[in-house]
């Protein structure tokens, strides 16, 4: 598989005073096309609003920074959900969902959201296509005033005025005094999970921590068809070499920190060896083995896996396949002595998937 796995930063697609929309292109990150994955990032300034839109792809959204509000209208719903979001929140957004995002006026920080999703049923493999409901590129700018007027039961002059009244495209900055509805506390139920506050699925002192999103703690994950996790490893810690054993791709965004990554494919060939840092994205092919070591700052990443309840197999640590294989098989496989086999088996008896520095 001769595909470039080099981690990439996104490019700005559009924006203005209210914020900007960035995306990763399969032309620069070919694995997006191979895996049929889309990746994008929305950044809203104080008072910025992402206008109502829907996408051709199911997605997982992760709030990287700031706090604000997202309006979510599920397919066939009669009322939108108004969800307060903050850093660490993950949301599953199925097909047909209409969303808008807003960063409160006076906010000291930008509201930044990462989107990762499946584009296999989309218009462009490896890239999201978003359909704006209003604005200069809104759907109704393409219909004639006759059709719009008939659809909305308006005079054609009123229909034309309403459709053309929003000159911006995609993102706007609200005028002073212009208000949007407040979030509703109960609307968060089953819609968002804060990965920084959720119960840890893995917690290894001086090693790392993991929170896994699945159909239990975020039910809409089932409709999206993707699993996800937030991983935080400490300074100089290592994430065990491992692979997804259910034919899934791993799509990883580095939230903060930095470190080194190696990926090995068939025939023992190392297909990636590089430094990774905050803001970069890379994809691990199916069944390839990946491992990471953090720099002194530690490292945090958010990943999606192209199955809702992923299963991983690790090749080091007490839960690794080596601990399950019989000693005689290990001796023969490595062509080694019983003494070396015993030494090998005696290591990593207490460590799971993260290894603190010696």
């Amino acid at each position: 598989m001769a595909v470039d796995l080099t981690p990439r930063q996104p490019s700005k697609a559009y924006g203005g005073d209210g914020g900007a929309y960035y995306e990763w292109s399969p032309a620069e990150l070919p694995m997006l096309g191979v895996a049929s994955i889309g990746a994008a990032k929305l950044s809203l300034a104080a008072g910025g609003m992402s206008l109502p839109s829907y996408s051709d792809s199911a997605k997982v959204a992760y709030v990287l920074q700031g706090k604000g509000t997202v309006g979510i209208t599920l397919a066939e719903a009669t009322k939108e959900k108004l969800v307060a979001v903050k850093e660490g929140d993950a949301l599953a957004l199925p097909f047909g969902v209409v969303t808008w995002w807003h960063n409160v006026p006076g906010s000291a920080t930008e509201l930044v959201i990462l989107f990762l999703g499946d584009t296999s049923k989309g218009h462009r493999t490896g890239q999201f296509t978003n359909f704006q409901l209003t604005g200069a590129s809104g759907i109704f700018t393409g219909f004639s005033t006759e059709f719009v007027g008939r659809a909305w039961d308006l005079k054609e002059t009123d229909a034309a005025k309403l459709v053309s009244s929003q000159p911006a495209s995609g993102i706007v900055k609200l005028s002073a005094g212009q208000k949007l509805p407040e979030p509703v506390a109960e609307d968060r139920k089953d819609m968002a999970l804060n990965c920084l506050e959720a119960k840890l699925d893995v917690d290894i002192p001086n090693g790392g921590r993991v929170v896994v999103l699945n159909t239990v703690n975020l039910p809409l994950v089932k409709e999206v068809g993707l699993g996800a996790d937030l991983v935080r490893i400490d300074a100089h810690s290592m994430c065990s070499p491992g692979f997804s054993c259910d034919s899934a791709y791993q799509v990883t965004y580095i939230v903060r920190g930095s470190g080194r990554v190696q990926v090995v494919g068939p025939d023992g060939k190392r297909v990636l060896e590089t430094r990774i840092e905050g803001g970069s994205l890379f994809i691990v092919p199916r069944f390839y083995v990946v491992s990471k070591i953090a720099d002194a700052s530690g490292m945090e990443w958010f990943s999606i896996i192209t199955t809702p309840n992923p299963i991983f197999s690790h090749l080091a640590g007490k839960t690794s396949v080596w601990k399950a294989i019989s000693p005689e098989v290990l001796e023969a496989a490595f062509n080694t002595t019983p003494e070396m086999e015993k030494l090998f088996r005696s290591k990593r008896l207490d460590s799971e998937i993260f290894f603190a520095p010696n």
Side-chain angles (χ1 to χ4, degrees):
M1 185 179 198
V3 178
D4 184 6
L5 304 183
T6 305
R8 301 291 185 189
Q9 299 274 345
S11 299
K12 183 177 178 180
Y14 61 84
D17 293 341
Y21 182 82
Y22 303 85
E23 60 186 2
W24 283 265
S25 166
E28 297 178 349
L29 187 58
M31 277 301 301
L32 290 172
V34 174
S36 294
I37 291 294
K41 195 160 60 171
L42 173 67
S43 179
L44 295 176
M49 178 187 182
S50 174
L51 297 174
S53 67
Y54 64 93
S55 177
D56 65 349
S57 305
K59 305 175 183 176
V60 172
Y62 182 72
V63 181
L64 297 168
Q65 175 183 299
K67 57 183 179 179
T69 303
V70 57
I72 302 173
T73 304
L74 298 170
E76 300 183 338
T78 57
K79 186 179 180 181
E80 71 178 350
K81 292 183 179 291
L82 298 167
V83 180
V85 294
K86 63 180 180 179
E87 181 178 341
D89 277 348
L91 303 91
L93 304 175
F95 284 111
V97 168
V98 173
T99 61
W100 54 265
W101 300 80
H102 178 233
N103 188 6
V104 295
S107 173
T109 60
E110 293 184 336
L111 173 62
V112 184
I113 308 103
L114 173 72
F115 300 98
L116 301 173
D118 176 15
T119 66
S120 61
K121 297 179 181 178
H123 288 275
R124 299 177 296 172
T125 300
Q127 206 160 6
F128 299 131
T129 298
N130 298 319
F131 293 82
Q132 304 293 332
L133 296 189
T134 65
S137 58
I139 292 296
F140 286 93
T141 61
F143 282 103
S144 68
T145 53
E146 176 194 0
F147 272 61
V148 177
R150 286 285 297 276
W152 292 346
D153 192 22
L154 293 173
K155 294 179 181 179
E156 287 192 31
T157 53
D158 291 333
K161 182 178 180 180
L162 185 59
V163 168
S164 63
S165 60
Q166 177 55 272
S169 180
I171 299 172
V172 300
K173 188 175 180 69
L174 299 184
S175 304
Q178 195 171 3
K179 294 183 179 181
L180 294 179
E182 293 293 324
V184 178
E186 52 265 33
D187 284 355
R188 270 188 68 91
K189 179 176 171 57
D190 293 336
M191 296 302 299
L193 175 74
N194 191 276
C195 297
L196 300 177
E197 300 172 355
K199 179 182 177 181
L200 296 172
D201 293 280
V202 177
D203 185 9
I204 298 174
N206 301 315
R209 293 150 295 285
V210 182
V211 170
V212 178
L213 276 66
N214 52 42
T215 54
V216 176
N217 55 22
L218 195 60
L220 283 177
V221 162
K222 182 176 182 180
E223 293 187 42
V224 172
L226 301 168
D229 58 25
L230 178 71
V231 180
R232 290 168 284 170
I233 62 175
D234 298 324
H236 304 299
S237 288
M238 180 183 194
C239 182
S240 167
F243 64 95
S244 171
C245 51
D246 45 11
S247 189
Y249 292 95
Q250 301 174 59
V251 186
T252 299
Y253 175 85
I254 307 301
V255 177
R256 58 177 55 87
S258 60
R260 292 176 291 146
V261 61
Q262 292 186 358
V263 178
V264 176
D267 302 320
K269 182 179 179 181
R270 189 184 309 150
V271 294
L272 178 66
E273 180 175 16
T274 189
R275 288 195 75 260
I276 46 178
E277 56 186 17
S280 59
L281 182 92
F282 71 100
I283 301 175
V284 179
R286 293 179 295 181
F287 300 109
Y288 282 46
V289 178
V290 60
S291 183
K292 309 177 190 74
I293 297 178
D295 289 339
S297 59
M299 190 160 53
E300 178 178 332
W301 64 85
F302 184 81
S303 297
I304 65 165
I305 303 92
T306 56
T307 182
N309 293 296
I311 301 173
F312 286 95
S313 185
H314 293 279
L315 300 179
K318 71 176 185 180
T319 59
S320 77
V321 296
W322 298 122
K323 303 303 183 188
I325 294 176
S326 62
E328 295 81 4
V329 172
L330 283 184
E331 289 177 31
F334 280 114
N335 189 28
T336 191
T337 63
E339 292 75 20
M340 179 58 74
E341 187 281 328
K342 288 180 181 178
L343 176 64
F344 176 69
R345 189 178 292 275
S346 70
K347 302 297 183 179
R348 299 294 187 204
L349 295 178
D350 299 321
S351 303
E352 290 191 35
I353 62 173
F354 301 128
F355 311 137
N358 294 327

